[in-house]
Amino acid sequence: MTVPEGPRTPLPFREFLVKVHSRCNLACRYCYVYESADRGWRAQPLGMAPETARLTWSRIAEHARRHGLGSVRVILHGGEPLLAGTEFLARFVRGLRAALPVTTRAEVALQTNGTLLDETVLRFCHAEGIRIGVSLDGPPSVHDRYRRDPAGRGSHARVAAALELLARPGHRPLWAGLLTTVDPSTDPLVTYEHLVSYDPPALTLILPLGNWTVPPPGRVPDPTRTPYADWLVPVFDRWYGSGGQAPRVALFESVIDLLLGGDSSTETVGGAPSRLAVIDTDGALTLSDHLKTTYDGADRTGLTVHRAPLDALLGHPGVAARQAGLAGLCSSCRACPLVAVCGGGHYPHRYRAGSGGAGHDNPSVYCPDLARFIGHVARTVAADLPTADTGPASGSGAAGRRAGHAR
Amino acid sequence: MRADPWERGLDVRPPEGAPEATDLAAEPGTTELPHLLDLPHLPDFAPLPDLPDLAELSLEELLDAPHPVLARAARRVLDRLAADEVPLAAYDSSAVPTDDTSV
């Protein structure tokens, strides 16, 4: 099994993260925007200026036209995007849809902390065709541990009230899913059962944005300890054992799909080329905002929608690094039999500071967890295939399936 | 540099009825795990599991797998392989499935 080689020419962006507001009404203690090495948020305007917004949707449309894109995915993000106000967001989404070629489908979503969701906002999202992802980490004792407002008050009660609204039949089609940061010190099944009690259509379980220099909580040097796999395995078993009745979980589905020789639907595993461009509140064209957890300014490129098309960002070395496939991985990963599934893990998780760290030329800081989790999923799936010959990985299957898919 | 909570919070106030501040660290099940400020070297990597090779299986046959998660996975892999556009490996900090066609 292998990760596909990277493209010879850059692949156009198809996913656009637009930071419509640079501040937040929560002060989550683990936030990668405000609590990491990067200080760029301090220099950002609070909200996106009208001219910056117009240039942003024009640049996206220009990119779609130039590359003949059949669809684009635009995520309204922040900070907290709802602080931008529904009037601004409506103007942005209408401007975007009007500017895009008629042959380009626009999928628009917003990722919110949920505290500002009410009937007015939901009616607005219906009217503009915006789907909603909400961040929720678990029951109050888990969620409110980190996700508090500036006064230190937990936000769970407000998010739970919003989810009750969102789950009503009239609003449910808007709901994309829940976004949950894994905390390995919590009870995984209590957390999972709390999350599914809201009946979300999907769960996105994310590993905290740590790296070799600033490791995630609990990720110790001992490779025999796997706190994140220890958390994920029972949740996977509960999810898998639900007979297909549980919400979709992108990480779980992607690991299974990759084991079967398919593609990943998440950037965290599989090593597929990133197609993401981030437009900051001031119009700066940046790399993934997750890089804020590596060093100050790591996501900055010096480009802006005010002066450059998105094609200029395509030429940035940081984009090439995310589209390099197997060639972009360190020698340890390239030689590893799990690489077709983990893909080297999430790019920011590979970072290590200092001259000996070689930047991102390292395995994921989550390598032990990924190895254990992938092995568990593989054995669980194999056990349900009594007639199949599932001997040790031979090295050709996944590459064969993907050979005709290098578009 | 960590942000002062009020520095980023603007003039937004919690709505009436929001829960009062509590000492959540004292609640059961919320023991802090140690943070490592730095690691002295890259440690040995994970012991590798003996991975069964599922990528050689026939996806068409898997469509009839008795386990619905596997049948659905086979359908998803086939659909994504046949898609006109390469499916996205989506940005992680967003809870929107990329092959959700209900938009």
Side-chain angles (χ1 to χ4, degrees):
Chain A
M1 294 188 283
T2 63
V3 168
E5 291 294 343
R8 290 179 184 163
T9 55
L11 296 169
F13 300 115
R14 284 180 39 216
E15 191 174 33
F16 302 90
L17 192 72
V18 182
K19 302 277 188 176
V20 292
H21 203 280
S22 72
R23 301 296 198 271
C24 190
N25 60 329
L26 292 186
C28 304
R29 287 159 58 188
Y30 58 29
C31 181
Y32 63 90
V33 175
Y34 308 108
E35 301 293 326
S36 295
D38 185 80
R39 304 176 205 171
W41 64 273
R42 292 175 188 275
Q44 288 292 322
L46 299 185
M48 189 174 260
E51 177 62 4
T52 305
R54 187 189 67 76
L55 282 167
T56 296
W57 74 60
S58 300
R59 294 297 190 193
I60 294 172
E62 175 186 52
H63 197 70
R65 192 173 299 109
R66 183 169 295 172
H67 296 281
L69 301 180
S71 65
V72 294
R73 186 167 195 255
V74 177
I75 303 167
L76 307 172
H77 215 268
E80 167 52 46
L82 289 176
L83 287 175
T86 53
E87 190 178 327
F88 171 87
L89 295 174
R91 204 162 51 240
F92 184 89
V93 174
R94 289 172 195 172
L96 171 73
R97 293 193 196 280
L100 283 169
V102 291
T103 52
T104 303
R105 186 173 70 94
E107 178 186 343
V108 182
L110 71 83
Q111 181 62 38
T112 174
N113 62 36
T115 59
L116 301 174
L117 274 182
D118 57 18
E119 281 287 355
T120 303
V121 171
L122 293 173
R123 278 197 298 274
F124 153 75
C125 289
H126 275 293
E128 303 300 336
I130 301 172
R131 304 208 55 214
I132 302 167
V134 180
S135 300
L136 180 72
D137 282 354
S141 62
V142 174
H143 180 92
D144 289 345
R145 187 177 175 196
Y146 293 116
R147 301 188 65 83
R148 305 183 190 185
D149 69 17
R153 289 172 288 206
S155 60
H156 184 279
R158 281 173 278 166
V159 181
L163 293 179
E164 284 173 17
L165 269 183
L166 198 47
R168 289 179 185 170
H171 296 316
R172 187 172 169 82
L174 295 175
W175 193 5
L178 291 176
L179 181 68
T180 301
T181 300
V182 171
D183 180 345
S185 71
T186 62
D187 184 316
L189 293 179
V190 168
T191 300
Y192 176 72
E193 291 301 340
H194 181 82
L195 297 169
V196 298
S197 73
Y198 294 95
D199 194 22
L203 277 182
T204 299
L205 300 173
I206 60 175
L207 301 178
L209 282 163
N211 54 63
W212 290 105
T213 300
V214 184
R219 185 53 266 164
V220 296
D222 180 357
T224 64
R225 288 185 57 187
T226 54
Y228 288 87
D230 297 347
W231 196 96
L232 289 170
V233 162
V235 172
F236 174 82
D237 288 346
R238 179 69 59 89
W239 174 83
Y240 187 80
S242 72
Q245 300 303 305
R248 302 186 60 185
V249 180
L251 176 63
F252 298 168
E253 289 184 348
S254 291
V255 169
I256 293 174
D257 292 0
L258 288 159
L259 286 165
L260 295 176
D263 293 311
S264 175
S265 63
T266 168
E267 63 179 346
T268 57
V269 289
S274 171
R275 311 289 293 272
L276 173 76
V278 179
I279 297 102
D280 228 328
T281 314
D282 64 355
L285 295 169
T286 71
L287 307 173
S288 172
D289 58 349
H290 291 162
L291 294 175
K292 292 178 185 297
T293 56
T294 57
Y295 58 90
D296 189 21
D299 60 339
R300 312 295 283 184
T301 66
L303 301 168
T304 166
V305 294
H306 294 271
R307 293 192 297 274
L310 280 152
D311 271 13
L313 185 60
L314 275 184
H316 191 279
V319 172
R322 299 292 302 271
Q323 295 194 349
L326 189 66
L329 301 180
C330 69
S331 56
S332 301
C333 288
R334 288 201 301 271
C336 177
L338 296 190
V339 72
V341 182
C342 77
H346 195 16
Y347 186 74
H349 296 163
R350 302 178 208 155
Y351 179 75
R352 180 175 166 83
S355 58
H360 296 268
D361 194 22
N362 305 299
S364 167
V365 71
Y366 287 105
C367 180
D369 297 277
L370 292 172
R372 182 179 168 229
F373 180 66
I374 291 167
H376 177 80
V377 174
R379 284 188 292 274
T380 303
V381 169
D384 273 328
L385 302 167
T387 60
D389 175 11
T390 55
S394 65
S396 62
R401 289 227 216 279
R402 293 177 190 145
H405 200 221
R407 301 186 301 275
Chain B
M1 180 183 293
R2 296 177 71 89
D4 182 307
W6 290 108
E7 196 174 3
R8 68 175 97 137
L10 312 178
D11 54 352
V12 179
R13 292 283 179 264
E16 283 189 29
E20 292 302 312
T22 54
D23 182 7
L24 292 157
E27 291 188 9
T30 57
T31 308
E32 292 276 356
L33 287 177
H35 288 251
L36 297 181
L37 293 178
D38 202 355
L39 299 175
H41 55 82
L42 291 177
D44 292 334
F45 298 113
L48 296 175
D50 185 13
L51 203 65
D53 190 357
L54 307 176
E56 300 289 356
L57 298 171
S58 161
L59 291 172
E60 288 75 13
E61 288 178 19
L62 267 183
L63 290 172
D64 296 322
H67 199 300
V69 170
L70 298 185
R72 205 173 290 167
R75 177 80 273 158
R76 190 169 53 242
V77 171
L78 285 168
D79 287 349
R80 288 169 69 91
L81 286 169
D84 290 335
E85 289 184 299
V86 180
L88 285 172
Y91 176 69
D92 193 36
S93 292
S94 164
V96 186
T98 51
D99 55 351
D100 191 335
T101 55
S102 62
V103 179

